[in-house]
Amino acid sequence: MLEFSGSLIRVSTANCAIIFKVPGAQGAFAAYLKKYPKGSKASDAQYFIGESLLYQDDYPNAAAAYGKLIKDYPNAAKGPDGLVKLARALRLMEPTT
């Protein structure tokens, strides 16, 4: 199970749990995707890469991560959330006047 809460991301199975701080989390999720690109949690890992980048105000890379979720995992359970977050990241990239 993947959970995002505040500045922590928790990855848990029946036997263990690992908690990552957000700034390094995208690296851990990218490593998971590299090892298990078609794994049952691959789409969740891609979503949480976007979440960790969005949390760090890295809007261009967050938008790219959510776009990859939508493109590579069109039937993902988090797809609709990813689409909303993509729109949010794009909106936040706009310069304010």
Side-chain angles (χ1 to χ4, degrees):
M1 174 188 304
L2 301 172
E3 302 170 59
F4 184 81
S5 175
S7 65
L8 301 176
I9 295 177
R10 177 185 171 97
V11 181
S12 58
T13 67
N15 299 324
C16 69
I18 300 170
I19 298 175
F20 298 97
K21 291 195 178 270
V22 169
Q26 67 266 21
F29 288 119
Y32 174 87
L33 283 173
K34 185 174 181 180
K35 189 169 184 178
Y36 306 106
K38 298 195 186 288
S40 64
K41 296 296 182 184
S43 63
D44 288 347
Q46 184 61 48
Y47 175 82
F48 283 113
I49 288 171
E51 287 289 276
S52 65
L53 292 164
L54 188 67
Y55 184 83
Q56 296 173 81
D57 300 334
D58 186 351
Y59 306 125
N61 286 320
Y66 292 124
K68 184 169 175 54
L69 167 71
I70 294 161
K71 178 181 171 269
D72 293 354
Y73 307 98
N75 298 318
K78 294 206 175 285
D81 292 337
L83 189 58
V84 170
K85 296 294 181 87
L86 170 60
R88 180 175 181 211
L90 292 171
R91 182 183 56 81
L92 291 169
M93 284 172 39
E94 294 180 8
T96 58
T97 56

